[in-house]
Amino acid sequence: MATDAEREKIQEILSRDEYRMNIHSNYWLRFLNHSNRTVTLSTFAFVVGTRMLGSAYFGAGALLCVGLAKALKLVLRESRPVGTTYKVTYGMPSTHSATISYYATFITLSCAYLPIHPLFFHTWFDGPINSTIVRWFVWPTAPLVATVVASTVCASRINLGHHTIKQVMGGVCVGVSFGALWFSWWKMGGAQTIAWWAVSFLPDFIQGLIR
């Protein structure tokens, strides 16, 4: 809960001409300012649309990464840049940067070390020619796209004044490290064993939906 002084400071920042011009006239920055909504909806659509256990594991990792970043903020208690943001929560590490870096890391490692799930061939790219497209174009391109998106979101946290460079880099370190560990646990099989064990407790009709 913001104090009266903090609320007054927020209103002062929001009323500044340069801030209003920066956000309200720049639709790209306005979109990036709420990138978490787009990422969350996209992840939900991916998990529900694919119905793969690995997708659900990927989404769960994103939620845990958010929780880890927020917990670290409470431990480190480092303020955001003074006078450039309307946010009053702690800034180290950047939660947006941590989460989007987790996405880029997990996607890159998955494309590099995991076999392509048959779903991607039989549902969206049916046929041997399109299978080649998936294997030699879509799969190598996905890590590049994820990295570009992650870099853009991270840079926007600085441009919007919500975080310092150090706070963004701290978020990147958290996201990359957590993403690598979360992926490794899945690849080694430990997470898959636990996940399928948990699925066994679900109703039969839900188990039937999971691929």
Side-chain angles (χ1 to χ4, degrees):
M1 182 67 68
T3 63
D4 291 338
E6 288 172 335
R7 281 193 290 268
E8 183 178 342
K9 186 65 176 179
I10 291 172
Q11 290 304 316
E12 188 271 327
I13 292 173
L14 291 175
S15 65
R16 290 180 185 172
D17 290 338
E18 62 268 26
Y19 182 85
R20 296 175 65 182
M21 183 177 297
N22 189 36
I23 292 294
H24 296 292
S25 65
N26 192 321
Y27 293 102
W28 179 238
L29 277 180
R30 187 189 302 182
F31 171 76
L32 289 174
N33 194 37
H34 301 290
S35 58
N36 57 321
R37 300 175 184 176
T38 304
V39 172
T40 300
L41 289 175
S42 300
T43 304
F44 178 78
F46 177 71
V47 172
V48 174
T50 61
R51 305 201 311 273
M52 295 187 300
L53 188 62
S55 301
Y57 179 80
F58 167 70
L63 294 176
L64 289 175
C65 188
V66 170
L68 174 61
K70 291 185 178 298
L72 288 172
K73 282 182 177 180
L74 296 176
V75 173
L76 298 174
R77 303 174 67 87
E78 181 175 303
S79 299
R80 294 174 183 265
V82 178
T84 62
T85 179
Y86 56 85
K87 293 178 177 288
V88 295
T89 54
Y90 295 116
M92 181 64 171
S94 165
T95 304
H96 282 73
S97 301
T99 308
I100 203 66
S101 296
Y102 160 81
Y103 275 79
T105 302
F106 198 100
I107 290 172
T108 298
L109 293 175
S110 295
C111 291
Y113 295 106
L114 294 181
I116 302 175
H117 195 284
L119 168 72
F120 292 100
F121 294 136
H122 299 302
T123 302
W124 301 327
F125 299 93
D126 195 17
I129 297 178
N130 288 329
S131 296
T132 302
I133 292 176
V134 174
R135 193 178 304 279
W136 295 107
F137 179 73
V138 177
W139 227 240
T141 303
L144 177 61
V145 172
T147 301
V148 171
V149 171
S151 300
T152 302
V153 171
C154 289
S156 74
R157 306 312 290 171
I158 300 171
N159 293 332
L160 289 165
H162 295 324
H163 294 282
T164 64
I165 295 177
K166 184 181 73 170
Q167 291 170 352
V168 167
M169 293 308 298
V172 170
C173 291
V174 170
V176 170
S177 300
F178 182 79
L181 291 172
W182 194 245
F183 171 82
S184 297
W185 192 32
W186 178 263
K187 187 176 184 298
M188 290 187 296
Q192 297 185 46
T193 301
I194 295 175
W196 282 116
W197 173 79
V199 167
S200 67
F201 291 96
L202 297 176
D204 291 341
F205 77 95
I206 295 181
Q207 293 186 42
L209 295 175
I210 300 175
R211 301 170 178 175

